[in-house]
Amino acid sequence: MAVSVSRDLTVRVLADPNTLKLAERQQALKNAIQKGEPKCLGVSQVMLGLMVMSYSIPLLFTEFTEVVTLGVPWWSGLMFITAGGIAIFLDKHCTMKILQLCLMISMVSVMLSVVAVIIYSVDMNKNPEEPCMKTTEYDRCDEKHYETRLSRGVKSSLLVFTLAQTVIAAILCVLLFRQRRSFVSYTPLGEAAPPTSTLLTSPDLN
């Protein structure tokens, strides 16, 4: 803010052009981000993360394979929840720093999701469902068959959830990258429009 006094004692309070430009830029960024609805995408990621972690609990009671040994459902689920939480926070607090953070976390989430999909696929290929070997006593399949069947069913569900997370995180990355790219090339703050002014006329002392 600048103040100037003329010869007739008229005081001009000039608004800081940098402040006005920054406020306009932040409002434009907020409007652009909210058009992409990151909150909805963030809520979806949080829900998928919780589903992945909860659905993976039965795997603790089956034979430990690569998925359980590497802890894939748990670190991928935590990553989904983290990425979704930051996207929700971005919807309420739109700043360039938070946008860049959300973009970085979303990109990491995409990469980890792809890694998780590969591990699920390899694990399911290496551990097929055991054939049904009926016992003569109860005329039913042995426990190994039901155990591997449960394990593959749970892993199939986790694979679908992870694929969905990959798509959502990729969409969010594209939206955030476009907004970041458009605002990086934004007019510098110093090149603001002519400042507005407020006239304060001094009282007549005569």
Side-chain angles (χ1 to χ4, degrees):
M1 179 181 295
V3 178
S4 63
V5 182
S6 61
R7 291 183 179 180
D8 59 353
L9 299 181
T10 300
V11 180
R12 291 179 177 270
V13 181
L14 304 177
D16 189 355
N18 290 343
T19 302
L20 293 176
K21 192 70 173 180
L22 181 59
E24 293 175 0
R25 181 176 179 178
Q26 289 179 341
Q27 185 61 36
L29 176 61
K30 183 177 181 179
N31 295 336
I33 289 298
Q34 289 179 342
K35 287 181 180 179
E37 299 181 353
K39 184 177 181 179
C40 296
L41 297 176
V43 171
S44 300
Q45 292 184 86
V46 172
M47 294 300 296
L48 284 172
L50 293 174
M51 292 175 66
V52 166
M53 297 183 70
S54 61
Y55 272 58
S56 61
I57 294 177
L59 294 178
L60 298 175
F61 304 98
T62 61
E63 181 182 357
F64 280 20
T65 58
E66 286 81 0
V67 169
V68 180
T69 304
L70 298 176
V72 178
W74 295 279
W75 54 254
S76 61
L78 287 175
M79 190 67 225
F80 300 164
I81 295 173
T82 302
I86 296 178
I88 296 173
F89 186 78
L90 174 65
D91 184 77
K92 297 181 179 180
H93 305 278
C94 296
T95 64
M96 185 60 67
K97 290 184 179 180
I98 299 178
L99 186 147
Q100 292 176 345
L101 176 63
C102 186
L103 176 60
M104 181 183 66
I105 295 297
S106 297
M107 292 175 65
V108 174
S109 179
V110 171
M111 291 186 291
L112 291 181
S113 298
V114 172
V115 173
V117 168
I118 294 174
I119 296 176
Y120 283 129
S121 302
V122 172
D123 183 278
M124 294 176 65
N125 185 56
K126 290 178 60 178
N127 300 279
E129 180 178 334
E130 292 289 336
C132 178
M133 303 294 292
K134 291 187 177 182
T135 59
T136 57
E137 183 177 357
Y138 299 103
D139 194 24
R140 54 177 296 183
C141 301
D142 57 347
E143 294 183 358
K144 189 68 174 179
H145 168 74
Y146 293 109
E147 182 179 336
T148 55
R149 185 176 181 180
L150 173 63
S151 178
R152 287 182 61 86
V154 172
K155 292 172 185 175
S156 299
S157 300
L158 297 178
L159 178 60
V160 173
F161 295 153
T162 306
L163 287 173
Q165 162 62 19
T166 306
V167 173
I168 293 175
I171 293 174
L172 186 58
C173 282
V174 172
L175 294 175
L176 295 177
F177 181 77
R178 287 180 178 178
Q179 297 304 327
R180 177 180 177 275
R181 185 177 181 182
S182 63
F183 279 92
V184 164
S185 58
Y186 203 87
T187 305
L189 294 179
E191 301 178 4
T196 59
S197 62
T198 303
L199 291 179
L200 298 178
T201 306
S202 62
D204 190 0
L205 301 179
N206 296 330

